[in-house]
Amino acid sequence: MKKLLLSIIALAAFVTLQAQWVNGPVNNNYLANTSPDAGELYISTDPISGDTYFQWCSFVGGNGWSPTLQRVNFAGEPQWDADGIHISGQQFPSWSQGFAMAATTDGGVVSCFAAQVGEDNQSFAVRINADGTFPWGEAGVLLFDGFGNSRTELMAGEDGGVWALGTDLSFSYLQYINADGTLNPLITISDTQASCTFGKLLPAANNGVFVVYEKENWAYSYYYTKSIWVKGYNVDGSVLSQDEQLMADQTVGGSYVHYVVPDGLGGGYVYIWHSAFGEAFNTYVFHFNENGANTFSDPNGTPVHSIDSYNFYTGAYGTVDPVSH
């Protein structure tokens, strides 16, 4: 009888959960109508409210390849207009350019993108509150003093602000946007001997940030000589930790870039997929601690599996065990 009762309770809980989100292939949760060319989807969830923001891009607004956003509550119900909120305060290029999006810790969402200004592209950030209003204006705020007109990364801060990272394929530009839309000092990441690109952001102590980026030089064809570095910054632009090299120079294809994941202890793991050793693809892992120091002695990283030139292993995605880290 006890076993039967537990089974009924488990079934009831399952049915209750299923009622919140539709998972059938015919009857999915409706988010918005989009144009047939919609793509470039971004998702970010507010860990406090449980609301999730969706962003996609299309030509629906008449202002180029531009973003639309929708807010969905914990029960899977859209909270904004039937077709979401379209950002129409800027003119966008007709191709994908520098988009990013992140939910903030105070219930809003920030969208970042490169928009056309004359013959140039410049990076902007627009905030949308949970009620659908634009506290920074629909045109947003100009980032990086007009530089950094290509790819962008965003990471929510601890106080409702957002870290933004951009690049112009030679330098990387880092800036903290306060919750009220004011900007903290611009940080330029550069090297006289290499381009500093493909940065990824990880949280550091006291609302700081670790930037894990690549120094690269063109080698031949589509190959580049790359190394991976990490450096920490505070919101006021001061240095939290000095440049630390994680990966030694490797000559790899330009399309192979690194990824990062927090280690749960204030540092992070970095991994990259490439075929620099014996023309056999593998994923190599690196690690730095809460002080931004490299903890691995091998500058080539730790391989995920043994060298195997007879199989083509694809790129990996990593996560961290919350117990063992």
Side-chain angles (χ1 to χ4, degrees):
M1 179 60 114
K2 185 182 291 185
K3 183 176 181 181
L4 177 60
L5 181 60
L6 289 174
S7 297
I8 292 173
I9 292 173
L11 180 60
F14 177 76
V15 170
T16 302
L17 289 173
Q18 289 297 96
Q20 295 178 3
W21 285 88
V22 178
N23 65 353
V26 177
N27 242 348
N28 291 312
N29 280 71
Y30 172 81
L31 295 181
N33 284 316
T34 67
S35 61
D37 52 39
E40 194 105 13
L41 182 67
Y42 297 86
I43 302 173
S44 184
T45 298
D46 177 356
I48 299 175
S49 70
D51 287 357
T52 295
Y53 292 94
F54 294 83
Q55 175 178 295
W56 63 93
C57 296
S58 64
F59 292 101
V60 69
N63 59 329
W65 182 251
S66 49
T68 303
L69 293 91
Q70 180 63 276
R71 173 179 160 236
V72 178
N73 67 12
F74 189 75
E77 302 162 338
Q79 300 297 293
W80 288 341
D81 293 341
D83 297 328
I85 295 177
H86 184 76
I87 295 177
S88 57
Q90 297 284 355
Q91 184 65 36
F92 292 80
S94 58
W95 62 88
S96 174
Q97 187 77 292
F99 293 104
M101 185 265 284
T104 62
T105 56
D106 57 355
V109 63
V110 173
S111 174
C112 189
F113 46 80
Q116 277 185 290
V117 180
E119 298 297 319
D120 197 11
N121 293 318
Q122 295 180 338
S123 295
F124 293 85
V126 170
R127 178 187 166 103
I128 306 177
N129 286 335
D131 62 2
T133 57
F134 291 85
W136 304 345
E138 195 171 352
V141 295
L142 175 67
L143 300 179
F144 317 131
D145 291 346
F147 298 106
N149 55 25
S150 185
R151 64 186 301 277
T152 309
E153 298 282 337
L154 285 181
M155 187 188 77
E158 299 172 357
D159 57 2
V162 176
W163 281 103
L165 179 73
T167 179
D168 57 12
L169 301 181
S170 293
F171 307 107
S172 289
Y173 305 95
L174 180 68
Q175 199 158 33
Y176 191 76
I177 315 169
N178 297 304
D180 63 1
T182 57
L183 299 175
N184 283 31
L186 174 66
I187 300 164
T188 301
I189 303 173
S190 63
D191 188 283
T192 57
Q193 304 297 319
S195 296
C196 298
T197 60
F198 300 112
K200 306 291 184 182
L201 304 177
L202 283 177
N206 301 316
N207 207 23
V209 66
F210 288 116
V211 182
V212 183
Y213 66 98
E214 299 179 12
K215 293 183 181 181
E216 65 175 28
N217 287 289
W218 182 80
Y220 57 91
S221 184
Y222 67 94
Y223 282 84
Y224 290 79
T225 299
K226 295 185 178 188
S227 57
I228 298 178
W229 298 72
V230 60
K231 191 170 184 178
Y233 296 94
N234 297 305
V235 292
D236 62 1
S238 61
V239 173
L240 177 66
S241 65
Q242 296 294 334
D243 261 328
E244 180 88 352
Q245 186 168 7
L246 300 177
M247 185 182 82
D249 282 343
Q250 305 290 343
T251 301
V252 301
S255 60
Y256 305 134
V257 297
H258 69 278
Y259 298 90
V260 298
V261 59
D263 65 2
L265 297 171
Y269 289 95
V270 181
Y271 57 96
I272 184 171
W273 183 65
H274 64 76
S275 60
F277 301 119
E279 297 185 355
F281 280 94
N282 206 332
T283 299
Y284 299 91
V285 181
F286 307 83
H287 178 261
F288 62 91
N289 63 20
E290 71 278 10
N291 299 313
N294 184 4
T295 67
F296 284 9
S297 58
D298 190 339
N300 296 318
T302 297
V304 169
H305 55 77
S306 59
I307 296 297
D308 183 356
S309 58
Y310 295 99
N311 288 288
F312 189 85
Y313 293 91
T314 58
Y317 290 90
T319 189
V320 172
D321 173 25
V323 177
S324 67
H325 303 281

